[in-house]
Amino acid sequence: MQIEDFFTSKVVVITGASGFIGSHLSERLLAAGNRVIGVDNFITGNRKNTEHLAQNPHWELFEQDICDTQGLNALLDKILSKYDRIDMVLHFASPASPPGYQRHPRETYLVNSLATDSLLAWLRGHSPESRFLFAGTSEAYGNPQVHPQPETYWGNVNPNGPRSCYDEAKRLGETICGVYDRDFGLDTRIVRIFNTYGPRMDLADGRILPQFIQEIRRGQPLTVYGDGSQTRSYCFIDDLVEAVLRLAASPDGAGQTVNCGNPGEYTVLQTAQICNQVAGRAAEMIEFRPLPTDDPLRRRPDITKARQLLSWEPKVAFADGLRVMMTHYGIDVKN
Ligand code: UDP
């Protein structure tokens, strides 16, 4: 199945369009000949991420807080009357890095719960044939007791800790999608996104790879939290975009929840060593800091379902993706 089997000349609304993932989705859909209407309040998104799209006649960007339900409804009314239909909504608006959502806890839980419901309620009333895809997260698994994590695992999440405003709100967002799918007959789809990296990440957002890249640019040692034995898997943005849009396009995707990520698993310490090597620095140029509360110990997607349903497989090796990302940020990389 090709993305273009569904996505040609479609009218697509993307919330969080000027964020890291939203901007890449916008670019890819525009390249495939769709009309893309971006919505962002720039709380953590960056206008610069979509500036290069400004000249494209099929692109439009609105500044709107989608937690303001009245404002959101008025905007959706306007988009519908202008384009006559909305084929799909991709709901990607949310702070996503631990420091980002901890700085904006209320905005984070509202955009994933209230705004998810508002978007779906509007679609139910005005455009019930539209597809809706929700950006879920591997954080839904919390500190997992099952490894790797399949979609059928319900997770091990602290309901009241420093990550809860994100984890629990994303879980509630999934619940809301399920209600509209089962009870109200809408076409909702959920992608559970594991750690993703690439150009246009906010280097100040505190996530591991942006943080390391910033430290490399400053000639500083890489800060590893804890002893660095916790693990993560890293998916390059182009692979992730391919998976998300395949799920969105799939004729069998309605009501489905699908993990998307790269199953390659690295300890945080290995991650730091690889980053140093790719940047041509001594592997051990590392400094240890205390481990944050509720930092998940292990994370790795089971992508059996994505392989079967979407015929999708990540293609970009970690070191290759890092070279692309570091080059984007002006670092002289080694092969
Ligand atoms: N981490 C680290 N140094 C940093 C930033 C993060 O060692 O400068 C660790 C963090 O403790 C976690 C992992 O890297 O174990 C991934 O953190 P990130 O903030 O990227 O996202 P998470 O996967 O925890 O949501």
Side-chain angles (χ1 to χ4, degrees):
M1 188 209 48
Q2 300 295 313
I3 291 168
E4 283 76 8
D5 291 345
F6 176 80
F7 283 112
T8 4
S9 309
K10 292 286 191 282
V11 179
V12 185
V13 172
I14 304 183
T15 74
S18 292
F20 163 50
I21 297 180
S23 69
H24 284 276
L25 288 170
S26 300
E27 196 175 274
R28 177 74 175 79
L29 286 175
L30 286 168
N34 299 278
R35 186 166 285 286
V36 179
I37 299 115
V39 184
D40 209 299
N41 67 347
F42 308 108
I43 183 175
T44 50
N46 188 339
R47 284 177 197 278
K48 284 207 177 89
N49 287 342
T50 44
E51 253 168 14
H52 63 296
L53 305 177
Q55 300 313 315
N56 190 317
H58 293 129
W59 163 252
E60 211 172 349
L61 178 64
F62 291 97
E63 180 166 0
Q64 174 67 47
D65 174 6
I66 61 172
C67 296
D68 159 11
T69 306
Q70 263 190 343
L72 172 67
N73 288 344
L75 176 61
L76 292 171
D77 288 342
K78 182 164 130 182
I79 294 169
L80 184 63
S81 67
K82 183 164 176 188
Y83 297 112
D84 236 17
R85 60 181 214 279
I86 293 175
D87 295 300
M88 181 127 201
V89 174
L90 302 173
H91 182 25
F92 277 70
S94 175
S97 73
Y101 55 70
Q102 284 159 11
R103 244 192 330 271
H104 304 288
R106 189 161 179 269
E107 290 84 349
T108 301
Y109 70 67
L110 288 177
V111 80
N112 287 296
S113 53
L114 171 70
T116 304
D117 180 68
S118 304
L119 287 161
L120 283 164
W122 186 91
L123 289 177
R124 187 179 176 209
H126 297 83
S127 182
E129 303 301 317
S130 302
R131 293 184 183 182
F132 182 85
L133 187 140
F134 179 62
T137 172
S138 58
E139 293 272 321
Y141 301 119
N143 191 7
Q145 289 169 330
V146 170
H147 193 72
Q149 295 82 54
E151 290 84 351
T152 46
Y153 176 50
W154 292 352
N156 176 36
V157 179
N158 179 354
N160 186 9
R163 288 181 177 245
S164 315
C165 62
Y166 184 70
D167 301 5
E168 291 290 26
K170 285 284 186 191
R171 287 167 66 95
L172 179 54
E174 290 200 17
T175 308
I176 295 167
C177 290
V179 168
Y180 277 86
D181 164 55
R182 273 190 309 275
D183 300 332
F184 304 143
L186 266 71
D187 178 330
T188 66
R189 301 159 186 232
I190 298 164
V191 56
R192 287 199 188 131
I193 301 171
F194 284 67
N195 297 52
T196 300
Y197 69 102
R200 295 196 207 125
M201 287 186 98
D202 175 4
L203 286 194
D205 85 357
R207 271 185 281 193
I208 184 166
L209 296 176
Q211 184 66 26
F212 285 176
I213 286 178
Q214 205 168 50
E215 287 161 349
I216 290 168
R217 280 166 38 133
R218 292 174 178 161
Q220 297 167 341
L222 305 186
T223 52
V224 165
Y225 298 159
D227 62 3
S229 61
Q230 69 274 34
T231 68
R232 292 294 186 274
S233 62
Y234 307 99
C235 187
F236 189 63
I237 184 66
D238 293 358
D239 282 334
L240 195 274
V241 163
E242 181 72 26
V244 169
L245 295 181
R246 280 190 188 211
L247 173 60
S250 170
D252 307 314
Q256 297 290 342
T257 300
V258 183
N259 282 341
C260 292
N262 190 317
E265 185 180 2
Y266 300 87
T267 66
V268 163
L269 187 57
Q270 284 171 330
T271 308
Q273 289 164 341
I274 294 168
C275 285
N276 272 334
Q277 277 158 355
V278 170
R281 307 183 346 152
E284 61 278 5
M285 206 172 158
I286 287 168
E287 212 171 76
F288 292 89
R289 299 261 174 90
L291 190 68
T293 312
D294 285 353
D295 199 282
L297 286 180
R298 297 187 299 183
R299 204 185 280 146
R300 176 186 172 195
D302 179 333
I303 58 165
T304 310
K305 187 168 176 182
R307 284 194 178 107
Q308 288 168 353
L309 186 73
L310 312 176
S311 310
W312 172 81
E313 188 84 42
K315 294 200 176 89
V316 181
F318 187 33
D320 292 340
L322 277 178
R323 278 184 201 102
V324 173
M325 183 171 176
M326 287 191 191
T327 304
H328 173 84
Y329 288 108
I331 294 169
D332 203 6
V333 298
K334 299 286 168 281
N335 283 310

